[in-house]
């Protein structure tokens, strides 16, 4: 098997958007839930060496 740099000359830029959708229109995610989801997301970004972008 050849080294990775010799296999292809393509360069990729992957952008991923994660959207949470609730079943009902009422607010079901509390502030504590949103804070915990933010912590988990930040931890995953650190593990995969990516930078989070928040709107």
């Amino acid at each position: 098997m050849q080294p990775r740099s010799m296999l292809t000359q393509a360069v990729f830029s992957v952008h991923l958007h994660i959207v949470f959708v609730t079943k009902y229109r009422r607010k079901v995610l509390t502030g504590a839930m949103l804070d915990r989801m933010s912590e988990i997301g930040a931890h995953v970004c650190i593990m995969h060496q990516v930078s989070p972008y928040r709107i």
Side-chain angles (χ1 to χ4, degrees):
M1 188 169 174
Q2 295 180 353
R4 177 177 268 184
S5 61
M6 300 297 261
L7 291 176
T8 183
Q9 295 178 354
V11 176
F12 295 94
S13 177
V14 178
H15 298 272
L16 178 68
H17 300 270
I18 299 175
V19 178
F20 290 95
V21 180
T22 58
K23 185 175 179 179
Y24 303 103
R25 288 186 166 197
R26 62 189 159 108
K27 293 187 177 188
V28 294
L29 297 176
T30 64
M33 290 174 163
L34 293 173
D35 290 341
R36 181 64 181 141
M37 287 172 37
S38 179
E39 290 174 12
I40 292 169
H43 179 70
V44 170
C45 288
I46 291 169
M47 285 178 22
H48 294 283
Q49 299 176 352
V50 298
S51 59
Y53 179 77
R54 189 174 185 172
I55 296 177

mmCIF file of all heavy atoms in Angstrom, residues 27-52:
data_model
loop_
_atom_site.group_PDB
_atom_site.id
_atom_site.type_symbol
_atom_site.label_atom_id
_atom_site.label_comp_id
_atom_site.label_asym_id
_atom_site.label_seq_id
_atom_site.Cartn_x
_atom_site.Cartn_y
_atom_site.Cartn_z
ATOM 1 N N LYS A 27 -40.959 24.945 23.865
ATOM 2 C CA LYS A 27 -39.562 24.846 24.279
ATOM 3 C C LYS A 27 -39.379 23.667 25.226
ATOM 4 O O LYS A 27 -39.924 23.657 26.321
ATOM 5 C CB LYS A 27 -39.118 26.141 24.937
ATOM 6 C CG LYS A 27 -39.078 27.299 23.981
ATOM 7 C CD LYS A 27 -38.474 28.505 24.613
ATOM 8 C CE LYS A 27 -38.398 29.622 23.596
ATOM 9 N NZ LYS A 27 -37.666 30.767 24.082
ATOM 10 N N VAL A 28 -38.635 22.671 24.789
ATOM 11 C CA VAL A 28 -38.407 21.492 25.607
ATOM 12 C C VAL A 28 -36.967 21.402 26.097
ATOM 13 O O VAL A 28 -36.675 20.654 27.013
ATOM 14 C CB VAL A 28 -38.779 20.192 24.858
ATOM 15 C CG1 VAL A 28 -40.271 20.146 24.585
ATOM 16 C CG2 VAL A 28 -37.990 20.046 23.577
ATOM 17 N N LEU A 29 -36.061 22.157 25.491
ATOM 18 C CA LEU A 29 -34.664 22.154 25.929
ATOM 19 C C LEU A 29 -34.476 23.273 26.947
ATOM 20 O O LEU A 29 -34.663 24.446 26.648
ATOM 21 C CB LEU A 29 -33.723 22.356 24.736
ATOM 22 C CG LEU A 29 -33.773 21.258 23.677
ATOM 23 C CD1 LEU A 29 -32.877 21.625 22.505
ATOM 24 C CD2 LEU A 29 -33.343 19.931 24.265
ATOM 25 N N THR A 30 -34.062 22.902 28.149
ATOM 26 C CA THR A 30 -33.845 23.888 29.204
ATOM 27 C C THR A 30 -32.447 24.490 29.066
ATOM 28 O O THR A 30 -31.617 23.997 28.310
ATOM 29 C CB THR A 30 -33.977 23.234 30.585
ATOM 30 O OG1 THR A 30 -32.934 22.265 30.736
ATOM 31 C CG2 THR A 30 -35.334 22.574 30.756
ATOM 32 N N GLY A 31 -32.207 25.531 29.812
ATOM 33 C CA GLY A 31 -30.892 26.173 29.798
ATOM 34 C C GLY A 31 -29.785 25.223 30.213
ATOM 35 O O GLY A 31 -28.697 25.222 29.636
ATOM 36 N N ALA A 32 -30.065 24.395 31.223
ATOM 37 C CA ALA A 32 -29.068 23.429 31.684
ATOM 38 C C ALA A 32 -28.755 22.405 30.586
ATOM 39 O O ALA A 32 -27.603 22.014 30.393
ATOM 40 C CB ALA A 32 -29.565 22.716 32.933
ATOM 41 N N MET A 33 -29.788 21.976 29.852
ATOM 42 C CA MET A 33 -29.577 21.025 28.750
ATOM 43 C C MET A 33 -28.714 21.641 27.652
ATOM 44 O O MET A 33 -27.815 20.998 27.120
ATOM 45 C CB MET A 33 -30.913 20.602 28.143
ATOM 46 C CG MET A 33 -31.756 19.723 29.004
ATOM 47 S SD MET A 33 -33.326 19.499 28.150
ATOM 48 C CE MET A 33 -33.948 18.079 29.006
ATOM 49 N N LEU A 34 -29.003 22.895 27.307
ATOM 50 C CA LEU A 34 -28.235 23.573 26.267
ATOM 51 C C LEU A 34 -26.783 23.770 26.689
ATOM 52 O O LEU A 34 -25.871 23.619 25.882
ATOM 53 C CB LEU A 34 -28.885 24.910 25.922
ATOM 54 C CG LEU A 34 -30.257 24.820 25.248
ATOM 55 C CD1 LEU A 34 -30.873 26.202 25.115
ATOM 56 C CD2 LEU A 34 -30.136 24.153 23.894
ATOM 57 N N ASP A 35 -26.567 24.107 27.970
ATOM 58 C CA ASP A 35 -25.196 24.251 28.471
ATOM 59 C C ASP A 35 -24.440 22.932 28.387
ATOM 60 O O ASP A 35 -23.280 22.887 27.972
ATOM 61 C CB ASP A 35 -25.204 24.760 29.918
ATOM 62 C CG ASP A 35 -25.660 26.196 30.025
ATOM 63 O OD1 ASP A 35 -25.628 26.911 29.001
ATOM 64 O OD2 ASP A 35 -26.058 26.601 31.134
ATOM 65 N N ARG A 36 -25.084 21.842 28.770
ATOM 66 C CA ARG A 36 -24.446 20.516 28.721
ATOM 67 C C ARG A 36 -24.153 20.103 27.280
ATOM 68 O O ARG A 36 -23.084 19.564 26.992
ATOM 69 C CB ARG A 36 -25.344 19.485 29.405
ATOM 70 C CG ARG A 36 -24.764 18.097 29.430
ATOM 71 C CD ARG A 36 -23.485 18.019 30.248
ATOM 72 N NE ARG A 36 -22.982 16.659 30.197
ATOM 73 C CZ ARG A 36 -21.711 16.336 30.112
ATOM 74 N NH1 ARG A 36 -20.790 17.280 30.140
ATOM 75 N NH2 ARG A 36 -21.350 15.083 30.047
ATOM 76 N N MET A 37 -25.087 20.375 26.357
ATOM 77 C CA MET A 37 -24.853 20.058 24.949
ATOM 78 C C MET A 37 -23.681 20.865 24.408
ATOM 79 O O MET A 37 -22.883 20.365 23.611
ATOM 80 C CB MET A 37 -26.111 20.328 24.135
ATOM 81 C CG MET A 37 -27.198 19.309 24.381
ATOM 82 S SD MET A 37 -28.822 19.637 23.645
ATOM 83 C CE MET A 37 -28.483 20.373 22.105
ATOM 84 N N SER A 38 -23.542 22.094 24.848
ATOM 85 C CA SER A 38 -22.424 22.935 24.427
ATOM 86 C C SER A 38 -21.093 22.370 24.942
ATOM 87 O O SER A 38 -20.099 22.341 24.217
ATOM 88 C CB SER A 38 -22.632 24.359 24.943
ATOM 89 O OG SER A 38 -21.564 25.170 24.571
ATOM 90 N N GLU A 39 -21.086 21.909 26.192
ATOM 91 C CA GLU A 39 -19.876 21.294 26.756
ATOM 92 C C GLU A 39 -19.483 20.034 25.986
ATOM 93 O O GLU A 39 -18.309 19.830 25.679
ATOM 94 C CB GLU A 39 -20.107 20.919 28.222
ATOM 95 C CG GLU A 39 -20.209 22.081 29.162
ATOM 96 C CD GLU A 39 -20.580 21.642 30.567
ATOM 97 O OE1 GLU A 39 -20.540 20.415 30.853
ATOM 98 O OE2 GLU A 39 -20.901 22.517 31.391
ATOM 99 N N ILE A 40 -20.465 19.203 25.690
ATOM 100 C CA ILE A 40 -20.192 17.967 24.955
ATOM 101 C C ILE A 40 -19.668 18.292 23.557
ATOM 102 O O ILE A 40 -18.702 17.686 23.086
ATOM 103 C CB ILE A 40 -21.456 17.086 24.881
ATOM 104 C CG1 ILE A 40 -21.803 16.569 26.280
ATOM 105 C CG2 ILE A 40 -21.272 15.931 23.899
ATOM 106 C CD1 ILE A 40 -23.158 15.915 26.376
ATOM 107 N N GLY A 41 -20.283 19.255 22.896
ATOM 108 C CA GLY A 41 -19.830 19.656 21.560
ATOM 109 C C GLY A 41 -18.411 20.183 21.571
ATOM 110 O O GLY A 41 -17.605 19.860 20.693
ATOM 111 N N ALA A 42 -18.078 20.993 22.578
ATOM 112 C CA ALA A 42 -16.718 21.515 22.693
ATOM 113 C C ALA A 42 -15.720 20.392 22.929
ATOM 114 O O ALA A 42 -14.627 20.380 22.347
ATOM 115 C CB ALA A 42 -16.646 22.543 23.828
ATOM 116 N N HIS A 43 -16.092 19.416 23.740
ATOM 117 C CA HIS A 43 -15.215 18.271 24.013
ATOM 118 C C HIS A 43 -14.973 17.458 22.737
ATOM 119 O O HIS A 43 -13.844 17.061 22.450
ATOM 120 C CB HIS A 43 -15.820 17.392 25.106
ATOM 121 C CG HIS A 43 -15.009 16.191 25.428
ATOM 122 N ND1 HIS A 43 -13.796 16.277 26.081
ATOM 123 C CD2 HIS A 43 -15.203 14.874 25.160
ATOM 124 C CE1 HIS A 43 -13.292 15.062 26.205
ATOM 125 N NE2 HIS A 43 -14.140 14.193 25.654
ATOM 126 N N VAL A 44 -16.019 17.227 21.970
ATOM 127 C CA VAL A 44 -15.885 16.474 20.713
ATOM 128 C C VAL A 44 -14.987 17.229 19.735
ATOM 129 O O VAL A 44 -14.138 16.632 19.056
ATOM 130 C CB VAL A 44 -17.275 16.188 20.100
ATOM 131 C CG1 VAL A 44 -17.156 15.642 18.689
ATOM 132 C CG2 VAL A 44 -18.051 15.225 20.979
ATOM 133 N N CYS A 45 -15.139 18.546 19.663
ATOM 134 C CA CYS A 45 -14.294 19.350 18.778
ATOM 135 C C CYS A 45 -12.827 19.254 19.178
ATOM 136 O O CYS A 45 -11.944 19.148 18.320
ATOM 137 C CB CYS A 45 -14.744 20.805 18.799
ATOM 138 S SG CYS A 45 -16.307 21.078 17.941
ATOM 139 N N ILE A 46 -12.549 19.273 20.469
ATOM 140 C CA ILE A 46 -11.173 19.154 20.950
ATOM 141 C C ILE A 46 -10.616 17.783 20.611
ATOM 142 O O ILE A 46 -9.471 17.657 20.156
ATOM 143 C CB ILE A 46 -11.100 19.424 22.463
ATOM 144 C CG1 ILE A 46 -11.383 20.893 22.740
ATOM 145 C CG2 ILE A 46 -9.753 19.009 23.035
ATOM 146 C CD1 ILE A 46 -11.600 21.231 24.202
ATOM 147 N N MET A 47 -11.422 16.731 20.800
ATOM 148 C CA MET A 47 -10.971 15.373 20.505
ATOM 149 C C MET A 47 -10.615 15.197 19.029
ATOM 150 O O MET A 47 -9.667 14.498 18.692
ATOM 151 C CB MET A 47 -12.047 14.349 20.877
ATOM 152 C CG MET A 47 -12.171 14.103 22.354
ATOM 153 S SD MET A 47 -13.474 12.929 22.820
ATOM 154 C CE MET A 47 -13.775 11.954 21.417
ATOM 155 N N HIS A 48 -11.364 15.844 18.141
ATOM 156 C CA HIS A 48 -11.152 15.685 16.697
ATOM 157 C C HIS A 48 -10.342 16.830 16.092
ATOM 158 O O HIS A 48 -10.231 16.926 14.864
ATOM 159 C CB HIS A 48 -12.489 15.539 15.980
ATOM 160 C CG HIS A 48 -13.199 14.272 16.343
ATOM 161 N ND1 HIS A 48 -12.840 13.053 15.836
ATOM 162 C CD2 HIS A 48 -14.224 14.040 17.184
ATOM 163 C CE1 HIS A 48 -13.622 12.121 16.340
ATOM 164 N NE2 HIS A 48 -14.476 12.700 17.166
ATOM 165 N N GLN A 49 -9.818 17.706 16.933
ATOM 166 C CA GLN A 49 -8.967 18.816 16.522
ATOM 167 C C GLN A 49 -9.629 19.693 15.456
ATOM 168 O O GLN A 49 -9.062 19.995 14.412
ATOM 169 C CB GLN A 49 -7.621 18.292 16.025
ATOM 170 C CG GLN A 49 -6.853 17.548 17.074
ATOM 171 C CD GLN A 49 -5.570 16.950 16.537
ATOM 172 O OE1 GLN A 49 -5.298 16.953 15.351
ATOM 173 N NE2 GLN A 49 -4.754 16.439 17.441
ATOM 174 N N VAL A 50 -10.856 20.092 15.733
ATOM 175 C CA VAL A 50 -11.572 21.008 14.870
ATOM 176 C C VAL A 50 -11.999 22.227 15.678
ATOM 177 O O VAL A 50 -12.051 22.178 16.909
ATOM 178 C CB VAL A 50 -12.817 20.361 14.208
ATOM 179 C CG1 VAL A 50 -12.418 19.215 13.320
ATOM 180 C CG2 VAL A 50 -13.799 19.890 15.253
ATOM 181 N N SER A 51 -12.296 23.304 15.001
ATOM 182 C CA SER A 51 -12.721 24.492 15.729
ATOM 183 C C SER A 51 -14.232 24.665 15.602
ATOM 184 O O SER A 51 -14.779 24.592 14.502
ATOM 185 C CB SER A 51 -12.008 25.729 15.173
ATOM 186 O OG SER A 51 -12.284 25.883 13.813
ATOM 187 N N PRO A 52 -14.903 24.878 16.726
ATOM 188 C CA PRO A 52 -16.354 25.069 16.678
ATOM 189 C C PRO A 52 -16.701 26.458 16.176
ATOM 190 O O PRO A 52 -15.959 27.415 16.368
ATOM 191 C CB PRO A 52 -16.786 24.895 18.123
ATOM 192 C CG PRO A 52 -15.590 25.286 18.914
ATOM 193 C CD PRO A 52 -14.401 24.897 18.079
#
